[in-house]
Amino acid sequence: MLNKNGALPLTSLNHISIICASVQKSVDFYQNVLGFFPVRRPGSFDFDGAWLFNYGIGIHLLQAEDPQHQPKKTVINPRDEHISFQCESMAAVEKKLKEMEIDYVERQVEEGGINIDQLFFHDPDGFMIEICNCDNLPVIPLVAGEPIRGCKRVVSLQQQQQKVVQCHLSQNHVKEETCSLCM
């Protein structure tokens, strides 16, 4: 069954699969660095691997058939394929990466006065991980309409704008130069 615009009726992202040279090294990384925890994997699989889960997403680690010839990226390039995670504190993440001696690259994106901080680093097999505060940037569809979700900053600005409008509509409004909401 397709949804009304013809796309598949999807509900969410379930998992990503990553081929790794050493399942155990990757499990350690995803547990100890990113906070994932192991979950049961179907016993009917006839290949080595591990399933992990957290943040509403699964990571399925698959043992490479030929680990010695597994391609590994060494240069951290933010434009490479990657998975991105939101965080509460970029400073805390950066501090932890330094403590763990994990190399990373910092980037900042600015859009409409909103700054997005990003940290990029590799897992043991060179798969790119991004940590960001991307929640600051609203997701705005390219079709007419409201943003899909408002970030904390946008919601705060919208609430402030509503107060200004209410102030202007009230009989208690004073001139803009003296109104605390309009200044």
Side-chain angles (χ1 to χ4, degrees):
M1 180 176 186
L2 299 178
N3 66 22
K4 61 183 172 183
N5 70 358
L8 298 174
L10 307 178
T11 58
S12 65
L13 177 64
N14 180 270
H15 70 273
I16 63 165
S17 292
I18 301 171
I19 297 173
C20 44
S22 168
V23 170
Q24 191 53 53
K25 280 184 183 178
S26 293
V27 166
D28 290 344
F29 174 87
Y30 283 94
Q31 276 189 274
N32 298 322
V33 176
L34 296 177
F36 280 80
F37 56 90
V39 295
R40 186 187 321 238
R41 182 175 175 259
S44 60
F45 285 140
D46 61 354
F47 55 91
D48 290 337
W51 285 10
L52 302 117
F53 187 83
N54 204 350
Y55 318 110
I57 185 173
I59 294 186
H60 295 183
L61 302 173
L62 310 174
Q63 179 63 49
E65 291 181 18
D66 187 3
Q68 309 305 358
H69 295 96
Q70 179 78 1
K72 184 175 178 184
K73 295 180 180 178
T74 55
V75 175
I76 300 172
N77 178 356
R79 292 182 60 184
D80 277 345
E81 297 171 336
H82 62 274
I83 187 168
S84 179
F85 296 96
Q86 301 268 113
C87 74
E88 300 257 333
S89 168
M90 292 297 290
V93 169
E94 188 170 10
K95 180 178 185 241
K96 191 71 172 170
L97 290 173
K98 285 179 182 177
E99 288 171 4
M100 296 175 145
E101 298 180 350
I102 295 175
D103 293 333
Y104 62 91
V105 169
E106 296 176 77
R107 290 288 185 266
Q108 189 173 74
V109 177
E110 186 275 331
E111 177 66 29
I114 298 172
N115 291 315
I116 305 301
D117 298 306
Q118 303 165 298
L119 297 173
F120 295 90
F121 54 96
H122 287 147
D123 77 358
D125 292 290
F127 184 76
M128 182 76 67
I129 310 293
E130 174 189 0
I131 309 293
C132 69
N133 59 357
C134 297
D135 191 41
N136 293 342
L137 189 65
V139 176
I140 302 173
L142 294 178
V143 295
E146 293 296 314
I148 293 170
R149 67 169 169 83
C151 69
K152 295 171 197 162
R153 183 174 177 181
V154 169
V155 169
S156 175
L157 289 172
Q158 288 171 338
Q159 290 170 342
Q160 181 66 23
Q161 288 172 343
Q162 287 174 347
K163 288 179 184 177
V164 171
V165 169
Q166 288 171 351
C167 176
H168 280 261
L169 295 175
S170 76
Q171 294 179 355
N172 298 330
H173 179 69
V174 293
K175 292 185 177 182
E176 278 75 10
E177 14 333 308
T178 57
C179 177
S180 63
L181 291 173
C182 297
M183 297 175 72

mmCIF file of all heavy atoms in Angstrom, residues 9-31:
data_model
loop_
_atom_site.group_PDB
_atom_site.id
_atom_site.type_symbol
_atom_site.label_atom_id
_atom_site.label_comp_id
_atom_site.label_asym_id
_atom_site.label_seq_id
_atom_site.Cartn_x
_atom_site.Cartn_y
_atom_site.Cartn_z
ATOM 1 N N PRO A 9 4.580 3.436 2.340
ATOM 2 C CA PRO A 9 4.052 3.855 3.652
ATOM 3 C C PRO A 9 5.029 3.531 4.785
ATOM 4 O O PRO A 9 4.792 2.651 5.599
ATOM 5 C CB PRO A 9 2.753 3.038 3.767
ATOM 6 C CG PRO A 9 3.048 1.787 2.995
ATOM 7 C CD PRO A 9 3.926 2.221 1.850
ATOM 8 N N LEU A 10 6.129 4.257 4.835
ATOM 9 C CA LEU A 10 7.165 4.000 5.833
ATOM 10 C C LEU A 10 6.834 4.699 7.139
ATOM 11 O O LEU A 10 6.123 5.705 7.156
ATOM 12 C CB LEU A 10 8.514 4.493 5.305
ATOM 13 C CG LEU A 10 8.920 3.957 3.928
ATOM 14 C CD1 LEU A 10 10.251 4.553 3.514
ATOM 15 C CD2 LEU A 10 8.959 2.447 3.924
ATOM 16 N N THR A 11 7.386 4.169 8.243
ATOM 17 C CA THR A 11 7.141 4.790 9.544
ATOM 18 C C THR A 11 8.399 5.364 10.184
ATOM 19 O O THR A 11 8.326 6.339 10.907
ATOM 20 C CB THR A 11 6.509 3.779 10.522
ATOM 21 O OG1 THR A 11 7.382 2.654 10.652
ATOM 22 C CG2 THR A 11 5.145 3.332 10.023
ATOM 23 N N SER A 12 9.564 4.742 9.939
ATOM 24 C CA SER A 12 10.788 5.251 10.550
ATOM 25 C C SER A 12 11.993 4.514 9.978
ATOM 26 O O SER A 12 11.842 3.493 9.311
ATOM 27 C CB SER A 12 10.756 5.069 12.077
ATOM 28 O OG SER A 12 10.748 3.693 12.398
ATOM 29 N N LEU A 13 13.167 5.012 10.292
ATOM 30 C CA LEU A 13 14.403 4.317 9.954
ATOM 31 C C LEU A 13 14.612 3.245 11.011
ATOM 32 O O LEU A 13 14.552 3.527 12.209
ATOM 33 C CB LEU A 13 15.583 5.291 9.944
ATOM 34 C CG LEU A 13 16.957 4.714 9.676
ATOM 35 C CD1 LEU A 13 17.039 4.125 8.269
ATOM 36 C CD2 LEU A 13 18.025 5.793 9.841
ATOM 37 N N ASN A 14 14.832 2.004 10.600
ATOM 38 C CA ASN A 14 14.974 0.905 11.537
ATOM 39 C C ASN A 14 16.430 0.668 11.924
ATOM 40 O O ASN A 14 16.760 0.575 13.102
ATOM 41 C CB ASN A 14 14.370 -0.372 10.951
ATOM 42 C CG ASN A 14 14.484 -1.548 11.878
ATOM 43 O OD1 ASN A 14 15.464 -2.279 11.838
ATOM 44 N ND2 ASN A 14 13.490 -1.717 12.732
ATOM 45 N N HIS A 15 17.316 0.522 10.935
ATOM 46 C CA HIS A 15 18.718 0.257 11.239
ATOM 47 C C HIS A 15 19.593 0.600 10.048
ATOM 48 O O HIS A 15 19.100 0.810 8.949
ATOM 49 C CB HIS A 15 18.936 -1.215 11.625
ATOM 50 C CG HIS A 15 18.777 -2.165 10.475
ATOM 51 N ND1 HIS A 15 17.542 -2.690 10.109
ATOM 52 C CD2 HIS A 15 19.682 -2.684 9.607
ATOM 53 C CE1 HIS A 15 17.705 -3.493 9.074
ATOM 54 N NE2 HIS A 15 18.998 -3.512 8.733
ATOM 55 N N ILE A 16 20.880 0.660 10.314
ATOM 56 C CA ILE A 16 21.869 0.728 9.246
ATOM 57 C C ILE A 16 22.759 -0.495 9.414
ATOM 58 O O ILE A 16 22.914 -1.008 10.528
ATOM 59 C CB ILE A 16 22.711 2.022 9.266
ATOM 60 C CG1 ILE A 16 23.541 2.129 10.551
ATOM 61 C CG2 ILE A 16 21.823 3.247 9.096
ATOM 62 C CD1 ILE A 16 24.633 3.161 10.481
ATOM 63 N N SER A 17 23.317 -0.974 8.307
ATOM 64 C CA SER A 17 24.246 -2.113 8.351
ATOM 65 C C SER A 17 25.635 -1.626 7.990
ATOM 66 O O SER A 17 25.799 -0.830 7.068
ATOM 67 C CB SER A 17 23.828 -3.189 7.349
ATOM 68 O OG SER A 17 22.628 -3.781 7.759
ATOM 69 N N ILE A 18 26.611 -2.108 8.715
ATOM 70 C CA ILE A 18 27.998 -1.728 8.474
ATOM 71 C C ILE A 18 28.832 -2.997 8.404
ATOM 72 O O ILE A 18 28.794 -3.832 9.322
ATOM 73 C CB ILE A 18 28.529 -0.811 9.606
ATOM 74 C CG1 ILE A 18 27.657 0.452 9.700
ATOM 75 C CG2 ILE A 18 29.991 -0.462 9.378
ATOM 76 C CD1 ILE A 18 27.948 1.311 10.906
ATOM 77 N N ILE A 19 29.568 -3.156 7.318
ATOM 78 C CA ILE A 19 30.484 -4.287 7.180
ATOM 79 C C ILE A 19 31.783 -3.913 7.883
ATOM 80 O O ILE A 19 32.317 -2.827 7.677
ATOM 81 C CB ILE A 19 30.732 -4.612 5.692
ATOM 82 C CG1 ILE A 19 29.415 -5.031 5.047
ATOM 83 C CG2 ILE A 19 31.792 -5.696 5.546
ATOM 84 C CD1 ILE A 19 29.484 -5.217 3.550
ATOM 85 N N CYS A 20 32.260 -4.810 8.739
ATOM 86 C CA CYS A 20 33.449 -4.487 9.533
ATOM 87 C C CYS A 20 34.479 -5.608 9.510
ATOM 88 O O CYS A 20 34.127 -6.783 9.357
ATOM 89 C CB CYS A 20 33.061 -4.124 10.955
ATOM 90 S SG CYS A 20 31.844 -5.176 11.718
ATOM 91 N N ALA A 21 35.727 -5.215 9.666
ATOM 92 C CA ALA A 21 36.827 -6.177 9.683
ATOM 93 C C ALA A 21 36.801 -7.003 10.961
ATOM 94 O O ALA A 21 37.116 -8.189 10.947
ATOM 95 C CB ALA A 21 38.168 -5.459 9.544
ATOM 96 N N SER A 22 36.424 -6.375 12.075
ATOM 97 C CA SER A 22 36.334 -7.067 13.358
ATOM 98 C C SER A 22 35.040 -6.658 14.050
ATOM 99 O O SER A 22 34.910 -5.515 14.504
ATOM 100 C CB SER A 22 37.527 -6.711 14.254
ATOM 101 O OG SER A 22 37.296 -7.151 15.581
ATOM 102 N N VAL A 23 34.109 -7.586 14.122
ATOM 103 C CA VAL A 23 32.837 -7.301 14.780
ATOM 104 C C VAL A 23 33.088 -6.872 16.226
ATOM 105 O O VAL A 23 32.487 -5.909 16.708
ATOM 106 C CB VAL A 23 31.881 -8.513 14.712
ATOM 107 C CG1 VAL A 23 30.666 -8.305 15.607
ATOM 108 C CG2 VAL A 23 31.437 -8.761 13.280
ATOM 109 N N GLN A 24 33.996 -7.550 16.926
ATOM 110 C CA GLN A 24 34.240 -7.230 18.326
ATOM 111 C C GLN A 24 34.785 -5.815 18.515
ATOM 112 O O GLN A 24 34.336 -5.083 19.401
ATOM 113 C CB GLN A 24 35.176 -8.247 18.984
ATOM 114 C CG GLN A 24 35.244 -8.095 20.493
ATOM 115 C CD GLN A 24 33.863 -8.102 21.163
ATOM 116 O OE1 GLN A 24 33.063 -9.009 20.965
ATOM 117 N NE2 GLN A 24 33.558 -7.077 21.946
ATOM 118 N N LYS A 25 35.736 -5.388 17.676
ATOM 119 C CA LYS A 25 36.264 -4.016 17.777
ATOM 120 C C LYS A 25 35.152 -3.002 17.524
ATOM 121 O O LYS A 25 35.066 -1.979 18.201
ATOM 122 C CB LYS A 25 37.391 -3.791 16.766
ATOM 123 C CG LYS A 25 38.719 -4.330 17.199
ATOM 124 C CD LYS A 25 39.788 -3.958 16.176
ATOM 125 C CE LYS A 25 41.119 -4.559 16.546
ATOM 126 N NZ LYS A 25 42.162 -4.253 15.549
ATOM 127 N N SER A 26 34.293 -3.305 16.542
ATOM 128 C CA SER A 26 33.197 -2.390 16.229
ATOM 129 C C SER A 26 32.161 -2.361 17.349
ATOM 130 O O SER A 26 31.652 -1.295 17.693
ATOM 131 C CB SER A 26 32.551 -2.768 14.895
ATOM 132 O OG SER A 26 33.464 -2.543 13.846
ATOM 133 N N VAL A 27 31.835 -3.509 17.935
ATOM 134 C CA VAL A 27 30.911 -3.547 19.069
ATOM 135 C C VAL A 27 31.472 -2.687 20.202
ATOM 136 O O VAL A 27 30.751 -1.865 20.790
ATOM 137 C CB VAL A 27 30.654 -4.996 19.553
ATOM 138 C CG1 VAL A 27 29.975 -5.000 20.913
ATOM 139 C CG2 VAL A 27 29.811 -5.757 18.537
ATOM 140 N N ASP A 28 32.749 -2.849 20.512
ATOM 141 C CA ASP A 28 33.373 -2.045 21.569
ATOM 142 C C ASP A 28 33.240 -0.553 21.275
ATOM 143 O O ASP A 28 32.902 0.244 22.154
ATOM 144 C CB ASP A 28 34.850 -2.415 21.732
ATOM 145 C CG ASP A 28 35.050 -3.792 22.341
ATOM 146 O OD1 ASP A 28 34.095 -4.353 22.926
ATOM 147 O OD2 ASP A 28 36.177 -4.329 22.221
ATOM 148 N N PHE A 29 33.509 -0.170 20.031
ATOM 149 C CA PHE A 29 33.422 1.236 19.638
ATOM 150 C C PHE A 29 31.999 1.763 19.802
ATOM 151 O O PHE A 29 31.774 2.801 20.436
ATOM 152 C CB PHE A 29 33.888 1.408 18.186
ATOM 153 C CG PHE A 29 33.699 2.800 17.655
ATOM 154 C CD1 PHE A 29 34.673 3.764 17.853
ATOM 155 C CD2 PHE A 29 32.546 3.155 16.965
ATOM 156 C CE1 PHE A 29 34.508 5.060 17.366
ATOM 157 C CE2 PHE A 29 32.365 4.438 16.478
ATOM 158 C CZ PHE A 29 33.357 5.390 16.676
ATOM 159 N N TYR A 30 31.034 1.061 19.226
ATOM 160 C CA TYR A 30 29.654 1.561 19.260
ATOM 161 C C TYR A 30 29.074 1.543 20.672
ATOM 162 O O TYR A 30 28.239 2.388 21.010
ATOM 163 C CB TYR A 30 28.769 0.804 18.253
ATOM 164 C CG TYR A 30 29.034 1.289 16.848
ATOM 165 C CD1 TYR A 30 29.956 0.645 16.028
ATOM 166 C CD2 TYR A 30 28.405 2.423 16.359
ATOM 167 C CE1 TYR A 30 30.228 1.108 14.748
ATOM 168 C CE2 TYR A 30 28.669 2.899 15.076
ATOM 169 C CZ TYR A 30 29.582 2.236 14.271
ATOM 170 O OH TYR A 30 29.850 2.717 13.018
ATOM 171 N N GLN A 31 29.539 0.644 21.519
ATOM 172 C CA GLN A 31 29.096 0.639 22.923
ATOM 173 C C GLN A 31 29.779 1.744 23.710
ATOM 174 O O GLN A 31 29.119 2.537 24.371
ATOM 175 C CB GLN A 31 29.440 -0.702 23.580
ATOM 176 C CG GLN A 31 28.440 -1.791 23.335
ATOM 177 C CD GLN A 31 28.741 -3.003 24.196
ATOM 178 O OE1 GLN A 31 29.533 -3.851 23.799
ATOM 179 N NE2 GLN A 31 28.109 -3.067 25.353
#
